[in-house]
């Protein structure tokens, strides 16, 4: 039994949904079908989730919502018409949205979640209706009825393992199950959505709970590439990689698979395959527990910008018990997660995603570090990028860090920070944002094109 998830572009239009039906029909093992909300049909298009966010914002501000509401309904209308479905499904979708809009607005986040989730929920109903229309034995499944349990607010939303006992029963249901991605329910029945792109998480949770033989994640590329194809010319596709490698790559900007989605599949060792709805024959990228890393120690290179660094310097810092805890506690109190903490004997940098900072928070942090920790210097710099070299084989090879550093030096850029985690699956270089692309290209040439470069 396989769980398949189809992302936004795979379900963005009637033609795309027809491809989905063909893919599902082609393999009787494809039983649980998780769907996203309709995504972009072309570059400048808007995702239905974004339209829903705009709709919810207007409703929260008590503004006129007619235009936004029609914008969402029209997207479904076009899809339904293209699929030859009767108008009834659109009335269902319209009244569903109208009902959500009457929800209590006292908790704006919950109101927003409920509207956002309608994108996947209504798409799942529509796709199930289409599958039935063309003679497939398929049913829509509500995550509440299935038992997809999530934790209460205010904590970050995550699935509760208690839900698994009920989710496993999906295996025994007859026919194909069309399941909306992106949200679950708390024990008291409140709807909460995962982070953006969270339908990947739903797919992984269901694959793990039902102990599927495979979790197929259908998107719009033939495979995961070894580097960002918008920066590096025609990067190679990755055939097979480990969960840890995918986790490291998606952390640092590989948006093809949500970084929170791996854990459930990993815990139950369900293999994940990233495939292309527009070219389902392509084998895709398989994500498993182990791979033969001798042939290719480095599997991919990721780069992500938008980092800031908090630098603190204090003579004899190494001897001061509790210094690191106190520093991180200041960040905790400002609700800022940290990414890396490279350190020297008397100094420490904390790398933070800049999106968690604002001018007030920065000023408060600097002030508190100075006052409470009595440091010699403290400053915050932004506009950093992290370039991450990822590969299980790095643990077993020597000289990779030297090759990477000399490739970077060939670009003339300077390295601001190096961090090799103890897992040795990744090597992180902090660099100035302005140097990011040239470094990525040079590292790609070093680790993936070396023979071609040498022969030129
Ligand atoms: N529709 C949601 C988003 O755009 C979730 C998803 O597609 O996975 O973020």
């Amino acid at each position: 039994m396989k769980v398949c998830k189809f992302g936004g572009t795979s379900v963005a239009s009637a033609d795309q949904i027809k491809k989905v039906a063909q893919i599902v029909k082609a393999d009787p093992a494809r039983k649980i079908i998780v769907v996203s909300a309709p995504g972009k049909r072309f570059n400048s298009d808007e995702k239905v989730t974004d339209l829903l966010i705009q709709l919810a914002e207007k409703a929260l501000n008590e503004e006129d919502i007619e235009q936004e509401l029609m914008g969402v309904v029209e997207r479904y209308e076009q899809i339904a018409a293209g699929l030859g479905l009767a108008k009834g499904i659109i009335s269902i979708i319209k009244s569903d949205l109208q009902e959500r809009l009457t929800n209590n607005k006292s908790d704006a986040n919950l109101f927003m979640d409920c509207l956002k989730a309608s994108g996947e929920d209504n798409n799942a109903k529509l796709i199930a209706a289409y599958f039935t229309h063309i003679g497939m034995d398929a049913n829509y499944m509500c995550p509440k009825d299935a038992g997809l349990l999530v934790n209460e607010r205010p904590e970050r939303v995550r699935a509760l393992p208690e839900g698994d006992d009920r989710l496993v029963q999906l295996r025994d249901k007859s026919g194909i199950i069309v399941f909306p991605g992106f949200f679950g329910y708390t024990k008291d029945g409140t709807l909460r959505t995962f982070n953006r792109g969270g339908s990947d998480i739903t797919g992984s949770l269901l694959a793990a709970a039902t102990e599927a033989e495979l979790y197929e994640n259908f998107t719009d590329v033939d495979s995961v590439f070894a580097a960002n194809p918008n920066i590096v010319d025609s990067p190679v596709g990755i055939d097979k990689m480990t969960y840890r490698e995918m986790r490291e790559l998606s952390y640092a900007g590989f948006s093809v698979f949500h970084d929170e989605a791996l854990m459930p599949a990993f815990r139950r060792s369900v293999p994940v395959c990233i495939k292309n709805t527009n070219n389902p024959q392509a084998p895709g990228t398989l994500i498993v527990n182990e791979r033969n890393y001798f042939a290719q120690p480095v599997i991919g290179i990721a780069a992500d910008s938008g980092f800031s660094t908090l630098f603190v310097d204090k003579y004899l810092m190494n001897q001061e018990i509790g210094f690191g805890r106190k520093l991180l506690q200041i960040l905790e109190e400002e609700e800022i997660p940290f990414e890396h903490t490279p350190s020297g004997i008397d100094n420490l940098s904390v790398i933070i995603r800049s999106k968690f900072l604002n001018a007030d928070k920065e000023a408060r942090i600097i002030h508190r570090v100075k006052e409470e920790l009595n440091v010699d210097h403290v400053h915050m710099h932004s506009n950093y990028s992290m370039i991450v070299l990822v590969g299980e084989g790095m643990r077993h090879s020597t000289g990779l860090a030297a090759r990477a550093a000399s490739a970077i030096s060939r670009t003339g850029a300077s390295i601001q920070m190096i961090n090799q985690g103890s897992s040795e699956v990744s090597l992180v270089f902090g660099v100035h944002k302005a140097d990011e692309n040239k470094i990525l290209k040079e590292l790609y040439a070093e680790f993936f094109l070396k023979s071609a470069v040498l022969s030129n």
Side-chain angles (χ1 to χ4, degrees), residues 5 7-8 36-38 47 49-50 116 119-120 181-182 195-200 258:
K5 179 256 166 178
S36 278
K47 295 178 175 188
T49 309
D50 290 317
K116 275 196 295 191
E120 344 296 285
F182 195 33
N195 284 346
R196 290 300 302 268
S199 299
D200 286 350
H258 197 293

Side-chain angles (χ1 to χ4, degrees), residues 24 60 76 141 192 206 232 242 265 399 406 431:
V24 175
L60 283 165
Y76 290 107
M141 171 59 76
R192 292 189 74 194
L206 298 187
V232 170
T242 68
S406 57
V431 298

Side-chain angles (χ1 to χ4, degrees), residues 40-59:
K40 290 186 179 195
R41 294 158 293 182
F42 40 87
N43 258 348
S44 57
D45 199 13
E46 284 198 275
K47 295 178 175 188
V48 164
T49 309
D50 290 317
L51 298 177
L52 287 162
I53 292 172
Q54 289 158 26
L55 171 64
E57 276 165 357
K58 286 232 161 164

